Amino acid sequence: MDQATATSIVEANSLDTLLAQAGSRWDVRTGGVSMPIHMAATFRHPALGESTGWDYSRSGNPTRDVLEALLARLEGGSRALAFSTGMAALDCLLRTLPPGRTIVVPEEIYGGTWRILENLSVPAGVNLRWVPFSDLASRPAQILSGADMLLFETPTNPTLLDADAAPILRAARAAGTLSVVDSTFLTPVLLRPLELGADVVVHSGTKYLSGHNDTTAGVLVVRDAALAERLAALQNTTGAALSPFDSWLFLRGLKTLHLRVARQQESARELAAALAAFPGVERVMYPGRGGMVAFEADSPERVESMLRRVKIWIFAESLGGTESLVTVPSVQTHAAVAPQVRERLGINDRLVRLSVGLEDVSELAQDMKQALENA
Amino acid sequence: MNILTDLVHAGHWDEDPTGTSSLPVFRGSTFSQKDLGGHSRWDYGRSGNPTRAGLEEAIAKLEGGVAGYAFASGIAAVNSVLMMFQTGDHIVVGEDIYGGSFRTLTTIFARWGLGVTWVDASDLEQVEKAIVPATKAVFVETPSNPLLRICDLRGIARIAHAHGLLAIVDNTFQTPLLQRPLDLGFHVSVHSGTKFLGGHSDVVAGLVAVSDAAVGKRLYAVQNGFGAILGPDDSWMVLRGIRTLAARLEAQQRNAARLAGWLAARQEVSAVHYPGMKSHPGHDLHASQTSGPGAVLSFDLGSEAAALAFLQAVKIPLTAVSLGGIETILSWPCRMSHASMPRSERLKRGIGDGLVRLSAGLESVEDLEADFAQALSGG
């Protein structure tokens, strides 16, 4: 890491302080407290064979570098890489698997992850072993036997099954399996998988990390420096790096991450408790942590009518932003999953996923209640 | 609707055909006019821009006003408000107003012939006595900058109404989340949007909300004629900031309250000015007209040398002009915000050379206390 990027991080250890001053100290020349957006595509060389440390923005850009350095620090990794989307980040990681290698993935996983594995990894000769999430949680050692990579989420999307990541990660280490946690739902504020033994953390930065529903981004944070270097070379080769402007928006979002996640979790807990008593709600899924809640309604018609009647909730896919979003996974986020698998996992046309935002929680509850009532 | 919900949905745009979760940045400087009868909603970016309008509607709604206006800086907003008056008019102004407002009144508007009488706005009698036949407005700030003095908003509004004056307040320190002066009878609420509203120390902006449509019309004529508007990108940035205002300000306020108590217990600190402290002379009045003490305080280290040593030794806060950002910011009024005020005037107003202003950020308060402790003990 160059000197400027290193000094951009405040000398402190607590997450709150690191976040509040995201990028605030890079610009020593002017003292500007907001990280400059370096739009340059290329960088002038001082002389033949010399470099300022930056050559070409795909390979490295000062604004993206600061974001990556901070993300590495937040997760406790040796290095982080920022991509144009969460899927671009995952794609980069999956490209490290040569044909014949085996990857273990719980069936309960984001639909886009399902799609990339089935449509890109399988044709590339990777052996894909789908397992029930409950098996991974209860007997990880057996599940992981012979696996080269494990990729999982906790809590899962969208049915919010949750597991203690520590024993799973210990089992992966014992089995010599590279463990990858998609930590999009919890963020380093609530879970730091590398500290529990994970090798790689992947994030959709579009969600809580940037947090305002106004940019798409992806992140890999890596424990091992040699693997990080390989991934950086891949990122430079395939080129899905995050743009300077989006890197800056991401940094701006991080400044309030600790506040947003805490408030969203608090509201989610309250809402999850209230939902059970709402008309037509059969089952509420909430693991007790994070800002995501799901519920199953008594009929698809109820869901359809609710979506037409909500006034504050926004019917859209995605999650983790300041606005509360309501999603129907079966037709939105998980449409790519095979229908019979969806049905088995409970991702049916009565399942509703909620991303709780920063609005007044009693208004959110009231709005959902009235929308469900009149079905 | 509850203000928390309004804050999050600030700038959501009903006219948008895509359903986007973020109001687009409309950069067009001009708009093709389909209605050649001159009734197009949008014609030229200075006169009106959809992104800026999203922000202007948001500040009007948050302040409980009828219209809002966005300017290129807080001081552009103050200047534009003052340009509603004319040569020969007179206004009554609180003497511990922001240094930049003081400068524009004593230089630009003094040259124009706008009369000013400076008063201690916390003394309603002084305010009323300063009114002359040419008086058109009263302009105050509460809490004031940098001593956090409190003036009685209801009392000043009452005087203004009784004399047919415009009541103008700079509401930057409190934001509409904590203080809604238009509800208390004020006509105009001015903001430096650079501070808590934008909130990330990354945009310079000014905002105004008005409670009266006729006043709004006058101000719009200045905005469009004078043209110190906020650009589309910056309008979008302020809107983005507003979404987390409540989460930020509540946490910053908590940190400020704790730091105020911590500082007051230190022997190196001769005074702490924070309206959240029971010992503050304006504590009760402030509590009666706001819903929180705010996140700004000031404290006195007794001398120029002590303030300088402290500011050079701290590691976490930024030493900078401005406030209301996510980072804790320390400023030195005698050299920064009030440098444009002559020293004699400054001292008369109680702004000594050892006074330090603190805007609490979102860092861990334990980190800040540890840092202050090492800085006060000589670095």
Side-chain angles (χ1 to χ4, degrees), chain A residues 318-336:
Chain A
S318 198
L319 61 103
T322 52
E323 305 87 349
S324 294
L325 303 186
V326 49
T327 303
V328 181
S330 60
V331 295
Q332 294 179 294
T333 52
H334 289 69

Side-chain angles (χ1 to χ4, degrees), chain A residues 13-363:
Chain A
N13 289 316
S14 68
L15 208 68
D16 291 13
T17 304
L18 289 167
L19 289 168
Q21 299 200 4
S24 294
R25 289 166 186 270
W26 183 89
D27 190 6
V28 287
R29 196 169 64 85
T30 72
V33 302
S34 175
M35 180 65 205
I37 308 175
H38 287 264
M39 297 301 273
T42 189
F43 297 82
R44 181 171 47 83
H45 297 294
L48 197 62
E50 287 179 26
S51 166
T52 59
W54 289 278
D55 303 312
Y56 186 64
S57 265
R58 168 163 44 70
S59 325
N61 171 284
T63 310
R64 195 176 87 225
D65 286 358
V66 167
L67 170 66
E68 291 176 343
L70 181 64
L71 289 165
R73 181 72 188 277
L74 295 173
E75 289 283 14
S78 71
R79 185 166 178 180
L81 298 164
F83 296 85
S84 55
T85 65
M87 282 298 109
L90 188 58
D91 178 54
C92 182
L93 178 68
L94 291 174
R95 280 173 196 263
T96 59
L97 281 181
R101 296 295 165 90
T102 299
I103 175 168
V104 169
V105 189
E107 292 173 312
E108 290 88 349
I109 201 143
Y110 166 54
T113 303
W114 178 283
R115 180 171 52 200
I116 198 170
L117 289 166
E118 288 285 3
N119 296 355
L120 295 180
S121 298
V122 170
V126 170
N127 302 318
L128 181 54
R129 201 193 296 161
W130 291 112
V131 298
F133 183 80
S134 55
D135 285 0
L136 178 68
S138 60
R139 43 185 194 101
Q142 290 96 312
I143 291 289
L144 290 173
S145 150
D148 298 291
M149 186 188 279
L150 162 69
L151 166 63
F152 71 104
E153 304 163 351
T154 193
T156 62
N157 184 358
T159 46
L160 301 174
L161 304 177
D162 203 5
D164 179 2
I168 299 175
L169 294 169
R170 269 198 304 274
R173 187 143 299 266
T177 305
L178 187 92
S179 56
V180 183
V181 178
D182 180 340
S183 202
T184 300
F185 275 25
L186 293 184
T187 84
V189 176
L190 300 177
L191 184 72
R192 311 223 310 164
L194 297 185
E195 285 179 358
L196 302 178
D199 293 302
V200 181
V201 171
V202 55
H203 282 282
S204 169
T206 313
K207 312 305 186 305
Y208 291 99
L209 292 180
S210 70
H212 292 67
N213 285 330
D214 55 16
T215 180
T216 63
V219 178
L220 293 178
V221 192
V222 189
R223 167 199 296 280
D224 176 62
L227 176 60
E229 201 169 319
R230 245 181 101 198
L231 289 165
L234 263 174
Q235 183 192 43
N236 186 40
T237 306
T238 59
L242 192 64
S243 76
F245 187 70
D246 289 334
S247 296
W248 183 88
L249 270 178
F250 197 145
L251 273 171
R252 194 188 204 237
L254 284 176
K255 288 168 184 277
T256 53
L257 176 69
H258 47 321
L259 301 184
R260 288 184 284 103
V261 167
R263 173 75 75 91
Q264 284 166 286
Q265 174 170 267
E266 199 181 309
S267 293
R269 284 179 176 158
E270 203 172 321
L271 196 72
L275 268 171
F278 288 0
V281 173
E282 304 252 287
R283 193 162 68 92
V284 178
M285 286 147 260
Y286 182 64
R289 55 178 178 169
M292 300 297 297
V293 180
F295 69 87
E296 202 174 275
D298 54 1
S299 70
E301 292 73 27
R302 173 95 61 182
V303 173
E304 206 185 327
S305 140
M306 176 272 291
L307 293 171
R308 271 199 312 270
R309 289 170 190 276
V310 283
K311 295 193 178 86
I312 294 174
W313 292 87
I314 297 176
F315 174 33
E317 50 191 286
S318 198
L319 61 103
T322 52
E323 305 87 349
S324 294
L325 303 186
V326 49
T327 303
V328 181
S330 60
V331 295
Q332 294 179 294
T333 52
H334 289 69
V337 178
Q340 67 276 17
V341 177
R342 272 204 316 255
E343 198 55 42
R344 180 154 50 77
L345 300 179
I347 309 172
N348 54 41
D349 52 10
R350 292 172 291 121
L351 183 74
V352 176
R353 191 187 74 182
L354 304 176
S355 168
V356 182
L358 296 178
E359 298 92 340
D360 181 82
V361 65
S362 51
E363 279 188 341

